Amino acid sequence: MKAVIEGLLFVSGEEGMDKKQLAEVLGEDLESVNKGIEALTADYSEGNRGIQILEAGGTLQLTTKAEHAPYFKKLVQSPASATLSQAALETLAIIAYRQPVSRVEIEDVRGVKSERPIRTLMGKLLIREAGRAEGTGRAILYGTTPEFLEQFGLRSIEELPPLPENPDTEDAEGEADLFFERFQEQFDEPS
């Protein structure tokens, strides 16, 4: 059960899961789930591990340990991490043009999960939490940062290149690829 709990917390990402959700997915009672969580937490604290289980507001998440933060900072700032993946570029473009925008709205446009690209972009300080949506769940809304503007040589978001007028045409995919190449070239250039 520990391995499954660990896997579930890993795939739930920054949203995490509460104990009731874990019990439902595992088909176990809360007492068994609590024992599994306690055993897993003990494994993380006893061993020389880089992750831990954090409980905040009733939600459990796998997180890195605070004492390792200087290494994570180096990773984010290293030249090898300077380029953005196609997924991160797509996500960044959606956020730039539609901000403030929720993860669900980003995923609707992309058609795939976007948690990892969002984490990457936040780690590179290109996007930030820009508030919460109204309604059920109060989803996090994302927007660009001053670092985004600086990185791409923009004075304001209004200076973004215009989107194609007819995105349903056959040329739209080629135009999108050119746009992403231009975005990537700008990101690769030293600022």
Side-chain angles (χ1 to χ4, degrees), residues 131-146:
R132 294 281 184 159
E134 294 297 321
T136 308
R138 306 229 347 117
I140 297 170
L141 298 175
Y142 298 97
T144 56
T145 63

Side-chain angles (χ1 to χ4, degrees), residues 86 89-90 93 176-185:
Q86 184 72 19
L89 284 170
E90 290 171 5
D177 288 343
L178 287 173
F179 176 76
F180 290 129
E181 284 176 23
R182 181 168 174 249
F183 235 51
Q184 185 67 50
E185 287 168 7

Side-chain angles (χ1 to χ4, degrees), residues 46-152:
E46 289 173 10
N48 196 7
R49 308 289 295 271
I51 57 176
Q52 63 187 353
I53 294 179
L54 177 70
E55 184 172 1
T59 302
L60 301 167
Q61 296 176 309
L62 279 181
T63 65
T64 57
K65 292 186 174 178
E67 61 263 29
H68 301 148
Y71 300 102
F72 306 134
K73 201 174 214 178
K74 280 184 186 177
L75 173 66
V76 171
Q77 295 171 347
S78 73
S81 66
T83 60
L84 292 175
S85 67
Q86 184 72 19
L89 284 170
E90 290 171 5
T91 303
L92 182 58
I94 293 164
I95 293 168
Y97 281 97
R98 293 192 173 197
Q99 62 186 309
V101 62
S102 71
R103 182 179 52 83
V104 171
E105 292 169 316
I106 295 165
E107 291 171 354
D108 284 346
V109 173
R110 292 191 64 230
V112 293
K113 292 260 184 213
S114 298
E115 287 178 33
R116 186 175 295 229
I118 288 172
R119 275 195 301 253
T120 298
L121 295 169
M122 288 191 76
K124 292 181 182 296
L125 304 177
L126 295 172
I127 64 169
R128 63 178 173 77
E129 288 186 18
R132 294 281 184 159
E134 294 297 321
T136 308
R138 306 229 347 117
I140 297 170
L141 298 175
Y142 298 97
T144 56
T145 63
E147 289 85 356
F148 165 83
L149 295 173
E150 182 181 317
Q151 185 66 48
F152 290 98

Side-chain angles (χ1 to χ4, degrees), residues 27-43:
E28 298 285 341
D29 58 63
L30 277 174
E31 186 178 332
S32 297
V33 170
N34 280 329
K35 286 180 183 176
I37 293 167
E38 288 170 12
L40 190 55
T41 301
D43 287 351

